[in-house]
Amino acid sequence: MSSDASPAPAKTPVTLRQVAASAGVSVATASKALNGQGRMTAETRERIRETAQRLGFRPNSLAQSLLRRRSFTVGLLTNDTYGRFSLPLMAGVSDALVDAGVSVFLCNVEDDMRLAQLHVEAMLDKRVDGIIATGKRIDRHLPVDLANLRIPVIYAFTQPDPDAVGFESDDAGGARLAVEHFCRLGRKRIAHVTGPASFAVVHERARAYREVLAEHGLPVAEPLLGAWSEAWGHEAVAKLFDGKAGGAGAPDAVFCGNDQIARGVIDALRERGIGVPDDVGVIGFDNWEIVAEATRPPLTSVDMNLSALGREAGLALLSLVGGQPAAPGIRKLPCRLVVRQSCGRPPGG
C-alpha cells in the first residue's frame, strides 16, 4: 500500500444556524438551549442538544463568552430615516451576530435629541449587550451622547466619539476606482459633479479625483458642487456643455458624487442628443440599486460595501462584549466599483 495518501480535506465547522435549521427552531432558541437558558420544553431542549451533537457542532469561545452575558440583543441606533444607509448596514450586522444567537433591533432617532435619549434608555432597560450607532453621513454625530454608557458602543458610518471604535467606507479610495476606470477606458476630459461643500466626503472624493487626473497627466477641471439631487445633475450638464464651466472642450466623462446626480446627468445628456456611453461616460457613487439599475443605460457606480461595513462593526462589538480589547480609532473599509453600461468600452474593446 502507498503511504502517500492525500490528507482528508478539513471539514467546515458546523454553525449554530445549521443546528437551528436541522432542529426546526430559531437561531436564538438553539443558542439558549445549548447554553441552558431560555424558556422551552425539556423535549425541545434535548432535541436541540442531540442535533448539535449529531452534527458535531462546537461553539466558539467568543460566542460563548457573549452568550453568558445574556440578553442576546444588540441595539442599532440611527438617524437615517429612509434606511438608505442603515438597512444594508443592519443586514451585515445581523449576519455577523446570527451565529452567536444575537438579535438586532433598530431604533430610528431622526435628528431629535429627546427621542434619541429615550431610545438609548429603552435599550439599557432591555439590557442590550451593546449598541451600534450609524447615520446618514460620516462627519456628524448622532444627537445623543453615547460616550459614558456601561455597555460597548461601536460607530459605523457616523462620526464616533473620541477614543471610540468607528468604521467607515474609504471614500477617497472609491473615487480613485471611478476615475482610474475612466482613464483605462481612454477618457481624457473627466468632469466631477458632486454634492454640497458642507459634506466631508465631497472634499475627500474631489481630492482623489484631482490626484488621479494629475497622475495621468490629464486636465483637472474644478469640481461642480450642488445638491444631492437629479435636478442638480441636470443643471450641471448645462454648466459643463454650455461652456460656462469645465475648462476647454466638453467632457467625455462625468464622475458623479451620488447616483441621483448621475441619473440627472444622463437624462440631461439624452435631451441634448449626447450619447451615453458612446459620447460621454458616467459613473455614480453609492450603488443605490433601485436607481442605478433603473437608469438607462444602467449606471456604473461605486459601492460603499455597507453590508461588509456592518459585518465588521458587528464582529467588533462581539469582541468588545466578549471582553477582548479593541484599539480606538476609525477603520476604513475599501469600496468596489460595480460596472454596468454607462461607461463604454476601452479603445479597441
Side-chain angles (χ1 to χ4, degrees), residues 92-94 96-97 132 154 167 309-319:
V93 171
S94 297
L97 301 185
I132 295 177
I154 294 288
F167 291 86
L309 195 74
R311 178 172 174 78
E312 291 301 315
L315 292 173
L317 189 63
L318 270 180
S319 294

Side-chain angles (χ1 to χ4, degrees), residues 25-301:
V25 297
S26 70
V27 173
T29 298
S31 176
K32 292 172 185 177
L34 296 175
N35 285 277
Q37 301 183 24
R39 295 182 179 179
M40 66 192 72
T41 65
E43 180 186 1
T44 297
R45 193 183 301 275
E46 185 59 27
R47 184 176 81 252
I48 293 168
R49 287 176 173 171
E50 288 177 354
T51 301
Q53 185 174 11
R54 174 171 52 82
L55 295 177
F57 172 71
R58 296 177 62 86
N60 68 65
S61 58
L62 179 56
Q64 287 287 287
S65 66
L66 173 61
L67 294 174
R68 283 195 291 269
R69 301 288 288 266
R70 347 87 1 244
S71 86
F72 308 99
T73 57
V74 164
L76 184 65
L77 204 63
T78 184
N79 65 347
D80 177 20
T81 305
Y82 296 105
R84 166 66 193 92
F85 304 108
S86 60
L87 290 181
L89 193 141
M90 183 177 179
V93 171
S94 297
D95 184 61
L97 301 185
V98 67
D99 281 329
V102 179
S103 299
V104 182
F105 69 90
L106 174 67
C107 289
N108 184 4
V109 305
E110 300 176 356
D111 287 308
D112 186 327
M113 186 179 300
R114 180 175 170 276
L115 179 61
Q117 188 60 44
L118 286 173
H119 280 313
V120 170
E121 290 172 2
M123 288 179 177
L124 296 177
D125 287 344
K126 292 178 184 297
R127 302 178 70 86
V128 296
D129 293 315
I131 291 175
I132 295 177
T134 184
K136 297 178 285 191
R137 51 192 291 186
I138 63 172
D139 55 357
R140 290 288 186 275
H141 287 285
L142 291 184
V144 64
D145 183 8
L146 303 174
N148 298 305
L149 301 184
R150 61 180 182 269
I151 57 175
V153 177
I154 294 288
Y155 296 81
F157 206 77
T158 192
Q159 187 172 10
D161 288 318
D163 301 322
V165 176
F167 291 86
E168 62 185 48
S169 301
D170 182 359
D171 281 276
R176 275 191 159 270
L177 289 175
V179 183
E180 287 173 349
H181 186 67
F182 275 143
C183 292
R184 286 193 297 274
L185 294 176
R187 306 287 178 167
K188 302 297 185 185
R189 299 179 304 281
I190 305 169
H192 184 30
V193 179
T194 187
S198 58
F199 282 72
V201 296
V202 166
H203 302 285
E204 287 189 36
R205 297 170 189 174
R207 183 175 64 253
Y209 157 80
R210 294 187 185 99
E211 288 173 355
V212 174
L213 292 184
E215 289 164 9
H216 286 265
L218 297 176
V220 180
E222 190 62 26
L224 299 183
L225 277 56
W228 299 112
S229 68
E230 291 184 37
W232 164 235
H234 202 282
E235 181 184 342
V237 166
K239 293 178 179 291
L240 290 169
F241 286 82
D242 288 347
K244 297 177 182 176
D252 61 4
V254 183
F255 166 44
C256 300
N258 76 355
D259 293 343
Q260 290 163 288
I261 292 173
R263 187 151 77 172
V265 166
I266 289 175
D267 287 348
L269 291 172
R270 183 185 303 111
E271 291 171 10
R272 289 171 174 258
I274 298 172
V276 175
D278 293 344
D279 301 318
V280 177
V282 179
I283 294 179
F285 208 107
D286 291 348
N287 192 35
W288 191 3
E289 291 184 355
I290 195 170
V291 173
E293 293 180 352
T295 302
R296 291 294 174 262
L299 178 66
T300 294
S301 184

